[in-house]
Amino acid sequence: MKIAIVQHDIPSSNFLNNMDRLNPLLNQQPGANLYVLPETFATGFMAEGYAGGAAAQSHFMLQWMAYQAMLHHAAVVGSVATKDQEGQLRNRLIFMHPDGKYDYYDKRHLFTFAGETKDYVPGDRRVVVEWCGVRFLLQVCYDLRFPVFSRSRGDYDAIIYVANWPEQRQDAWQTLLKARAIENQCYVIGVNRVGSDDTCKYIGGSVVIDAYGHTIAQCTDGEEEIAIAELDMEQLQRFRQKFPVLADADEFSVL
């Protein structure tokens, strides 16, 4: 399975302009089975004044994702701020299929330090999506710091983390992504933005890591770029069978 990680700048809260900027990046790597975009890929994290217009804007973002999925005959993944049926704001990770249907995961761990809990409501379910024979656990940014929630139950092969993770905590991003891959014997796909907003600078560090903790694809720090990785499921299964770490894991229950 071929994964495309899409690392890009989000220079303003003009979501239409930001989506237009993504078109040439996606076109650079045709033929991928899955394209992964950063957290809040069209608006940036906690975009000023966004909450009031979330419903209308998220509709356009989902339309764009559906079109790209259909155009590339692939799934497209990225997070958008949207309102649920009760009118509550969610940081929602969309897994868009080529037929226009989608699965979603609402960010469980909201970033209190940056005020995310003031506007958003946390998710209450763990979501695994199967695509092209690979099972993906969906996660968003701050979720990376909470390993119990993402601990393997033998129900996924890869974790997707999308993020707006600032430069000053880049070492933590890189270390935790590798740890999640090793401890869960899975692929980890981490996609972060570049550029800056009113509070932070972002240098990316988008990467695909295998179950051994080896980097198999990465984007250049600070650059808008798309990179490709091949997920080898037969190799993953051989490793899990040869070195059955997960069989010795502690029993637990979360949600």
Side-chain angles (χ1 to χ4, degrees):
M1 183 180 184
K2 186 180 292 187
I3 305 288
I5 53 175
V6 186
Q7 178 174 284
H8 73 104
D9 190 7
I10 311 172
S12 72
S13 59
N14 185 333
F15 65 97
L16 293 176
N17 178 63
N18 291 331
M19 289 187 292
D20 284 343
R21 289 170 56 88
L22 280 167
N23 293 334
L25 268 179
L26 268 62
N27 291 336
Q28 286 178 18
Q29 293 288 356
N33 305 109
L34 175 65
Y35 294 84
V36 184
L37 311 172
E39 179 185 21
T40 52
F41 68 90
T43 60
F45 181 70
M46 298 292 286
E48 183 180 359
Y50 180 74
Q57 293 188 9
S58 64
H59 175 70
F60 290 115
M61 296 171 208
L62 264 62
Q63 284 185 329
W64 179 87
M65 293 179 76
Y67 175 75
Q68 294 298 329
M70 178 190 67
L71 181 67
H72 292 279
H73 307 288
V76 177
V77 177
S79 125
V80 301
T82 188
K83 289 182 179 177
D84 63 19
Q85 292 181 343
E86 287 73 40
Q88 298 174 312
L89 198 62
R90 305 278 189 167
N91 188 338
R92 179 163 289 178
L93 183 55
I94 303 293
F95 194 109
M96 182 67 70
H97 299 267
D99 62 2
K101 297 178 181 178
Y102 64 89
D103 299 285
Y104 69 88
Y105 159 73
D106 290 335
K107 185 177 181 180
R108 169 69 174 172
H109 300 95
L110 301 178
F111 194 32
T112 304
F113 181 79
E116 192 174 17
T117 51
K118 295 178 181 178
D119 296 313
Y120 291 81
V121 175
D124 59 4
R125 66 189 183 104
R126 189 171 181 272
V127 178
V128 176
V129 177
E130 184 169 351
W131 175 247
C132 294
V134 181
R135 299 168 300 170
F136 295 94
L137 176 70
L138 306 185
Q139 301 277 272
V140 179
C141 202
Y142 195 42
D143 287 328
L144 179 59
R145 290 186 178 268
F146 301 92
V148 174
F149 184 63
S150 62
R151 184 64 172 163
S152 176
R153 304 174 188 175
D155 57 345
Y156 65 77
D157 309 300
I159 309 176
I160 294 175
Y161 288 101
V162 302
N164 278 206
W165 197 286
E167 180 184 23
Q168 62 265 36
R169 292 187 285 276
Q170 191 70 10
D171 284 348
W173 166 257
Q174 295 169 350
T175 301
L176 293 174
L177 288 173
K178 184 171 288 190
R180 298 295 88 83
I182 294 170
E183 71 193 9
N184 295 299
Q185 288 191 302
C186 70
Y187 288 101
V188 164
I189 300 149
V191 180
N192 189 27
R193 65 165 290 184
V194 294
S196 61
D197 57 24
D198 292 339
T199 59
C200 295
K201 180 181 179 181
Y202 308 89
I203 61 169
S206 301
V207 68
V208 181
I209 301 169
D210 69 14
Y212 296 90
H214 300 152
T215 297
I216 60 173
Q218 61 185 338
C219 295
T220 305
D221 284 353
E223 299 293 332
E224 287 193 314
E225 196 169 83
I226 185 168
I228 293 288
E230 292 273 0
L231 303 191
D232 187 334
M233 297 309 299
E234 291 184 0
Q235 182 186 57
L236 177 62
Q237 295 306 321
R238 286 195 301 268
F239 176 49
R240 286 175 168 177
Q241 291 169 7
K242 179 180 179 181
F243 190 54
V245 173
L246 296 178
D248 297 324
D250 299 311
E251 294 185 5
F252 65 93
S253 178
V254 178
L255 295 182

